[in-house]
Amino acid sequence: MAESSEPIIRMIPNRPFKGHESTVNAGAVFPDGRRMATGSSDKTIRLWDLKDGVVVKKMEGHLGCVRAVAGSVDGQLIASGDKNGELIVWDGDTGECLTEAIKCHSDWLRSLDFSPDGGILATGSWDETTKLWCTKTWKMQGNPIHCGAAVNCVRYSPSGERVAIATHRDIQIWNPRTRKRIAKFKAAIDWGWNSSLAWTTDGTRLLSGGSASDPTIREWDSSTWKQVGDPWRGHTDYISAIAMNPTGTLVASASSDNHVRLWRLSGQCIAIFMDSRSVSFVTFSADGRHMFSGGVDMKTSEWEVPALTVDSPKEQESEPNTQNRFFKRIMGTVRPASASTSVPVKAKSGQILLEEALLEAQKVIELNPLYYLGYQLKHAALHGAQRYDEAIQAFQAFLSMLDNAPDIQMIKLRQHFLSLSEAEDAIRTAIHIQIENTPLRVLDTSTGLLCDRNEQIYAFETSREYKELLSLTMMHAHLRFERIEEAVVAYFRCAMLSHRWEEKEPLLHDIRDKVVYWLKPVGGILKLQSFCKVARDAGCRWAWSDTCCIDKNNNVEVQESVNSMFVWYRHSALTIVYLSDVLSPSKSGALAKSDWIGRSWTFQELLASRVVIFYQKDWSLYLGDRTPNHKESAAIMQELGDATGIDPQTLVSFHPGVKGAREKLRWASTRVTTLQEDIAYSLFGIFDIHLPVIYGEKKQNALGKLLQEIVARSGEIGALDWVGKSSDFNSCLPADIASYQPCALRLPSLSEGKIQEAVSSLRNTTAVELASNLYSLLHDLSVPRFANCRLRLPCITFPVTEIRQLPGRDQTYKVKAQGLQDVLITTEDKLIQFSPTRPTGQTFFLVRPWNRDLLELPDFADHTQRVEISTLPGSPLHDSPAQPPGEHGPVDSEFHSRALRLMVHLGQPFGAFLLAQQRGTEYKRVASDRDIIAHVKGMTSVHDMMYSVRTLEIL
């Protein structure tokens, strides 16, 4: 029999699998055909008996919604991943948990796939990495694959020799054994991203699905990675999943447009399965005779794959035949118009033009004015032709009819749709979220005009893109907010300029109310024009430059801009770095010699930006490198790493915050600024700190406020580790950031074996009791605190008994202190010389600033590891430092072990400060030109520390 030219329509599934309490996001059918596992936003996985349609096991353990589920080839394992980046492995037969939650990723775990031999599990995440895990040990194999964009789907080829990865930006093909990337290509168009993948059974083709702005399936030749034929069109929204039937002859696709479509490999759609809500996954049964799909309606539907060698089966009796015939013709023919054409796509076999489609939809409405399908078809036809205003009006008329309908079913149906105002509110929410992380004022690269945020929003709300999104949002009340966000982000794509200021840079008043492209192309104006053109060619509607997009006469705007700069660069679509002193053609090393690399503001811009491209003086690509993101260029990142002294991987995936403050201060110590206060202000974003911006307050005050905030937030003493001159802000802080240029003080540390040996030698009743008391005393000390430029520093003090200047060395002093060996101190300060025979009324201390790391307590702020039960708050070990010894047996042993280890650490050399008394109990730090290394005389001195623990106030 001849094939039908029109797709078969199915609206009622064979049977539903109900049980989940929220969206069903993923599913996997086992090879034996008897079981299926589904994962849901209700944080559970359910194991189903496919014969009886009942739940065999409800599997609980995830703390976030389950986004991905996969079954091993032999059916023995089930893997599930959630929004917290955690993976759990389950027994395929019993559903019992085989592993604790494994923290695989720092963001949503979006995709899982077992290798064909079952030995490896691939995980893909929105943290922009793909990782491979051994299924025997559940340890990560090798290093993560850094994909440069959020990962949506990961699929092994049938041979297992390749892994395909779909990201927000491109599709990447990797060799999982060598970790070499074989290919990378852009698939989705119109700023869409790649959402789903499937290999053909012979591995010669890869199929990819696009997001809402390009809801097509594309076919790729795996030998050339070129597209084969035209895209498969039909879906009108995000394609969430693609599946291949066991014989490799049919393809199923699931979409947020509420449909599952069945395709031949030729790209012909042969059947449409209509769900009531957005569909998240689709998969075939083991024999290929059925499909299973699940989504927002909280159930999994089983659909029968129609016989393809005979005429279309008899339509469902519940579906009016005339309406169904019209529906098949319209839905099989009306396609969204291409972005490159404004006319309807002409029909292939059986396709009709828009006007005919509208006529057919009207006939359906006339047959039954209360039946929603006709209105849906009319909206789809107008929307597909990009007549969005008319589509919205038509849909509003439909909603009005539903609002006035007395029928209960119609009232329930109304809940599936949004009114115009509700859709506008949803989009407006997404706009405000996006705008919060973008500059206050930007250049429109299409017009060359300066716009503020309100003008940006107005431009969007009057654009074709907005009306298209509004039309889709009204039709799909279930449309996930992330889909709306995706469209908004695409429109508001902004490029940021990172450059070295030069003479005659254009300021705000030079370009306000003027078309940038029409200005005389000289000096900074030419640079600005070129930047806008490059940004426009890169697909960015908006562009920002610090020269002309900030009103520098408005203190409030300057304050907000300085404190937001890191966030703006972090959320930009692209940072364009202009190297005005790098001539073309350049050689490797030219970037390292550029003035750009030594500036403090550009340093923050480099760390903040996720996507960076370097341009030379003539606006050609640096080194001719055409990598879409130069942070993915190994050669360029290695050059930057060598020039900055920062690991290239840290440059690529930098995270702001006060953790590791001392090392970040070292990175900044060699950088320069034109205005002295900027040496501090340019670091606000790197430390994720917001402070008042007061130009004119001078460097020491600006830097002092920043360092004070770092110490206050971190509770760490790393920022106090410096050599040089003291600040007038506080003597424990440096006058210049260059004081952090030497690496942090690192003293030789004992091996674990040596520590254990020393602990064993201390295990006697007296030592254990003393160690326990000292441990508890130090445990109860507070962290360093600043208030009104005064530092309250917890420390162990060693009273100085003698200071004597060395003969012939004006700035070097020998210092004796109780419990310590003599130390030499070199300082520009003039010290009072004294000894036991020539005492002084002024008190001096050598102090050991207290470092809580020596307590070896678990770090509950570290989210990279799952907290063990034994260290949860309320458990004995959590409270052990405050417990008196002798009451809890094994807990005492653990506590005593920590206490004795602390004694061993306190007996090792340490970095000391010299403090000089000022008034009463106030002290000042005596600055030194080099680190002061103090050595404890012996274990007796450690014992005496019990009486030397105090908190001093330092000016």
Side-chain angles (χ1 to χ4, degrees):
M1 298 288 252
E3 292 181 2
S4 171
S5 61
E6 299 176 354
I8 297 166
I9 307 300
R10 289 286 180 267
M11 298 184 69
I12 301 176
N14 289 35
R15 56 175 173 165
F17 292 77
K18 297 181 179 180
H20 282 296
E21 298 171 2
S22 188
T23 300
V24 183
N25 295 311
V29 173
F30 284 78
D32 61 9
R34 296 185 297 107
R35 294 160 298 154
M36 172 176 66
T38 57
S40 166
S41 294
D42 65 11
K43 305 179 185 178
T44 70
I45 299 94
R46 295 177 194 243
L47 189 61
W48 303 85
D49 182 309
L50 291 180
K51 180 180 179 182
D52 299 327
V54 297
V55 176
V56 176
K57 176 79 172 179
K58 179 181 178 182
M59 297 134 73
E60 297 177 291
H62 283 285
L63 301 180
C65 73
V66 178
R67 185 62 184 81
V69 172
S72 61
V73 178
D74 58 9
Q76 296 301 304
L77 299 175
I78 302 169
S80 57
D82 64 27
K83 68 175 292 185
N84 298 322
E86 292 188 336
L87 167 73
I88 299 180
V89 184
W90 316 81
D91 186 284
D93 289 320
T94 66
E96 295 299 322
C97 183
L98 298 179
T99 68
E100 291 293 324
I102 302 168
K103 184 68 175 179
C104 294
H105 297 276
S106 60
D107 206 335
W108 282 62
L109 202 165
R110 298 285 293 183
S111 183
L112 299 167
D113 197 32
F114 281 94
S115 61
D117 63 6
I120 301 293
L121 176 72
T123 62
S125 167
W126 274 4
D127 67 3
E128 303 186 358
T129 67
T130 295
K131 299 180 180 180
L132 305 182
W133 303 83
C134 174
T135 58
K136 300 297 184 185
T137 63
W138 294 110
K139 301 293 185 183
M140 186 171 66
Q141 299 286 86
N143 295 322
I145 297 173
H146 294 278
C147 303
V151 176
N152 297 307
C153 188
V154 178
R155 291 291 180 263
Y156 269 99
S157 66
S159 67
E161 296 177 354
R162 296 175 180 179
V163 171
I165 304 172
T167 77
H168 270 22
R169 188 176 300 123
D170 51 35
I171 293 175
Q172 303 177 21
I173 312 298
W174 291 77
N175 183 320
R177 183 177 59 81
T178 64
R179 301 302 173 89
K180 291 185 178 179
R181 191 172 64 199
I182 299 169
K184 183 172 79 167
F185 50 92
K186 186 170 177 60
I189 62 170
D190 295 336
W191 308 115
W193 38 274
N194 311 288
S195 57
S196 47
L197 297 169
W199 292 86
T200 57
T201 52
D202 60 5
T204 61
R205 296 286 191 272
L206 177 70
L207 304 178
S208 66
S211 56
S213 57
D214 181 28
T216 63
I217 296 175
R218 297 173 185 269
E219 186 178 1
W220 306 91
D221 186 323
S222 62
S223 63
T224 63
W225 297 115
K226 301 295 184 183
Q227 184 172 321
V228 178
D230 296 327
W232 303 3
R233 302 186 183 279
H235 285 300
T236 60
D237 205 344
Y238 172 86
I239 298 175
S240 52
I242 305 174
M244 181 74 61
N245 75 338
T247 60
T249 57
L250 297 176
V251 176
S253 57
S255 169
S256 293
D257 65 8
N258 303 6
H259 295 165
V260 172
R261 285 179 175 258
L262 189 64
W263 313 79
R264 293 192 187 280
L265 283 180
S266 62
Q268 177 196 13
C269 179
I270 54 179
I272 301 172
F273 304 85
M274 297 185 63
D275 210 321
S276 61
R277 306 290 293 275
S278 173
V279 188
S280 301
F281 86 90
V282 65
T283 187
F284 283 93
S285 62
D287 59 10
R289 295 180 179 179
H290 295 86
M291 295 185 304
F292 299 92
S293 65
V296 176
D297 61 4
M298 299 187 289
K299 64 177 183 284
T300 299
S301 299
E302 180 185 49
W303 307 89
E304 184 178 359
V305 175
L308 302 175
T309 57
V310 296
D311 288 334
S312 302
K314 184 179 179 180
E315 308 299 344
Q316 298 285 345
E317 292 183 4
S318 62
E319 195 67 49
N321 287 341
T322 303
Q323 293 175 354
N324 189 265
R325 183 172 67 253
F326 291 148
F327 174 79
K328 286 195 298 181
R329 293 181 65 195
I330 295 171
M331 294 304 288
T333 58
V334 177
R335 312 290 188 186
S338 158
S340 61
T341 177
S342 60
V343 299
V345 179
K346 289 200 172 181
K348 293 182 180 179
S349 162
Q351 288 187 336
I352 55 178
L353 297 175
L354 171 67
E355 295 304 326
E356 292 176 338
L358 290 174
L359 180 62
E360 299 285 13
Q362 191 61 38
K363 288 179 181 179
V364 175
I365 295 172
E366 291 171 357
L367 280 168
N368 187 351
L370 295 180
Y371 187 57
Y372 80 95
L373 187 59
Y375 299 94
Q376 188 179 26
L377 297 177
K378 183 176 182 180
H379 173 269
L382 290 168
H383 184 94
Q386 298 185 2
R387 289 163 58 174
Y388 302 122
D389 288 331
E390 295 174 77
I392 292 170
Q393 290 174 4
F395 206 72
Q396 282 183 289
F398 169 50
L399 294 181
S400 179
M401 181 270 291
L402 290 180
D403 289 335
N404 297 315
D407 185 83
I408 297 296
Q409 294 301 320
M410 291 295 101
I411 294 174
K412 289 183 178 180
L413 180 62
R414 174 63 180 83
Q415 298 173 0
H416 292 280
F417 310 111
L418 294 182
S419 67
L420 178 62
S421 61
E422 289 171 332
E424 288 173 335
D425 287 344
I427 298 173
R428 192 173 295 116
T429 299
I431 291 173
H432 287 305
I433 291 174
Q434 174 66 18
I435 284 291
E436 282 181 358
N437 296 320
T438 58
L440 305 174
R441 191 181 289 105
V442 291
L443 284 158
D444 187 332
T445 60
S446 62
T447 65
L449 290 171
L450 200 63
C451 299
D452 61 22
R453 286 177 171 176
N454 289 331
E455 290 167 329
Q456 276 187 281
I457 294 173
Y458 177 78
F460 179 48
E461 291 181 341
T462 56
S463 68
R464 179 185 64 81
E465 292 90 340
Y466 176 80
K467 293 175 181 177
E468 178 183 12
L469 180 60
L470 189 61
S471 174
L472 276 174
T473 305
M474 290 177 65
M475 182 65 183
H476 302 288
H478 59 276
L479 189 69
R480 295 181 185 175
F481 188 69
E482 64 192 50
R483 308 288 179 255
I484 299 174
E485 276 189 311
E486 175 195 337
V488 171
V489 168
Y491 184 86
F492 286 93
R493 282 173 55 89
C494 181
M496 308 286 284
L497 179 63
S498 178
H499 66 124
R500 170 76 167 91
W501 275 52
E502 298 168 294
E503 294 182 4
K504 298 182 180 179
E505 294 284 359
L507 303 178
L508 178 64
H509 66 83
D510 295 317
I511 67 167
R512 175 174 272 159
D513 300 324
K514 298 175 184 177
V515 177
V516 166
Y517 298 128
W518 295 355
L519 300 178
K520 188 175 181 180
V522 294
I525 290 292
L526 177 59
K527 176 167 62 175
L528 185 63
Q529 291 170 337
S530 301
F531 162 60
C532 288
K533 291 175 182 176
V534 170
R536 182 184 62 198
D537 292 344
C540 294
R541 173 70 181 265
W542 312 100
W544 183 88
S545 171
D546 56 350
T547 58
C548 57
C549 293
I550 300 176
D551 185 352
K552 295 173 179 61
N553 295 317
N554 185 327
N555 290 334
V556 174
E557 184 172 327
V558 170
Q559 168 93 14
E560 182 172 356
S561 298
V562 168
N563 276 287
S564 303
M565 202 82 70
F566 187 97
V567 172
W568 293 349
Y569 277 90
R570 172 55 57 98
H571 287 88
S572 68
L574 168 66
T575 292
I576 293 172
V577 178
Y578 180 59
L579 307 172
S580 60
D581 53 357
V582 175
L583 303 180
S584 179
S586 59
K587 295 182 179 180
S588 181
L591 171 57
K593 299 175 182 176
S594 173
D595 286 344
W596 176 88
I597 209 164
R599 309 295 297 183
S600 196
W601 281 111
T602 58
F603 176 59
Q604 174 180 252
E605 292 156 12
L606 172 64
L607 292 177
S609 303
R610 289 192 171 100
V611 181
V612 176
I613 300 181
F614 292 90
Y615 288 88
Q616 301 168 136
K617 184 177 179 64
D618 63 356
W619 289 94
S620 61
L621 291 168
Y622 178 61
L623 300 181
D625 192 321
R626 297 189 175 277
T627 306
N629 180 6
H630 281 170
K631 280 199 169 184
E632 296 178 356
S633 168
I636 292 178
M637 294 314 297
Q638 189 58 56
E639 183 178 349
L640 282 171
D642 294 340
T644 60
I646 304 173
D647 177 66
Q649 188 54 48
T650 301
L651 293 173
V652 171
S653 55
F654 175 79
H655 295 286
V658 295
K659 190 172 183 179
R662 179 57 177 81
E663 181 65 3
K664 293 172 183 175
L665 290 167
R666 184 185 67 80
W667 298 344
S669 63
T670 59
R671 309 199 170 272
V672 296
T673 60
T674 301
L675 300 177
Q676 56 178 306
E677 295 88 353
D678 280 342
I679 202 66
Y681 300 162
S682 62
L683 300 178
F684 283 2
I686 290 174
F687 291 102
D688 194 19
I689 283 174
H690 295 76
L691 291 171
V693 174
I694 308 171
Y695 282 104
E697 67 175 327
K698 303 305 179 185
K699 175 177 62 178
Q700 288 195 30
N701 203 56
L703 182 59
K705 288 192 300 185
L706 172 64
L707 297 174
Q708 171 182 271
E709 190 71 9
I710 291 172
V711 172
R713 289 200 185 188
S714 68
E716 297 177 357
I717 60 174
L720 309 182
D721 176 13
W722 52 270
V723 295
K725 184 179 179 182
S726 291
S727 172
D728 294 336
F729 184 88
N730 184 278
S731 63
C732 261
L733 301 177
D736 194 293
I737 200 167
S739 292
Y740 292 109
Q741 192 167 345
C743 290
L745 177 62
R746 288 187 176 88
L747 295 170
S749 58
L750 292 177
S751 66
E752 183 60 30
K754 290 290 185 181
I755 293 175
Q756 293 293 346
E757 182 180 329
V759 166
S760 296
S761 68
L762 291 173
R763 283 192 185 277
N764 60 68
T765 305
T766 304
V768 170
E769 183 177 358
L770 181 64
S772 300
N773 292 336
L774 180 58
Y775 189 100
S776 296
L777 178 64
L778 291 170
H779 175 271
D780 293 340
L781 280 179
S782 65
V783 295
R785 287 284 182 257
F786 268 100
N788 300 320
C789 303
R790 293 168 177 258
L791 171 63
R792 289 184 57 80
L793 181 68
C795 55
I796 301 172
T797 60
F798 301 88
V800 174
T801 58
E802 181 176 332
I803 296 179
R804 184 174 51 181
Q805 184 175 332
L806 295 185
R809 299 173 67 177
D810 293 343
Q811 297 181 341
T812 302
Y813 298 84
K814 177 183 281 189
V815 177
K816 295 179 180 289
Q818 293 177 9
L820 299 178
Q821 297 177 15
D822 296 351
V823 298
L824 295 180
I825 296 177
T826 302
T827 177
E828 294 182 5
D829 296 345
K830 191 69 175 177
L831 299 183
I832 297 174
Q833 299 187 62
F834 66 92
S835 67
T837 58
R838 296 173 53 198
T840 177
Q842 186 178 15
T843 300
F844 289 82
F845 287 119
L846 277 172
V847 302
R848 176 174 194 154
W850 173 233
N851 180 2
R852 291 186 63 84
D853 290 343
L854 295 180
L855 295 173
E856 298 184 347
L857 294 171
D859 183 2
F860 297 114
D862 184 2
H863 298 295
T864 62
Q865 296 182 359
R866 190 77 167 225
V867 178
E868 297 295 334
I869 298 299
S870 60
T871 57
L872 286 173
S875 69
L877 286 188
H878 180 268
D879 295 328
S880 62
Q883 297 281 352
E887 295 185 6
H888 297 290
V891 178
D892 285 339
S893 176
E894 171 72 18
F895 172 58
H896 291 154
S897 177
R898 287 187 195 165
L900 292 172
R901 290 173 67 88
L902 173 63
M903 295 284 281
V904 174
H905 288 306
L906 291 177
Q908 302 307 302
F910 62 92
F913 299 167
L914 177 62
L915 299 182
Q917 183 185 21
Q918 302 301 297
R919 299 183 304 273
T921 58
E922 298 171 343
Y923 292 83
K924 272 194 172 184
R925 177 176 173 178
V926 177
S928 174
D929 290 345
R930 61 193 62 175
D931 292 316
I932 302 174
I933 310 300
H935 295 259
V936 178
K937 284 184 176 179
M939 192 52 63
T940 301
S941 298
V942 177
H943 295 169
D944 293 341
M945 292 180 190
M946 184 72 195
Y947 312 103
S948 303
V949 176
R950 58 172 66 186
T951 297
L952 299 179
E953 186 169 349
I954 303 175
L955 304 177

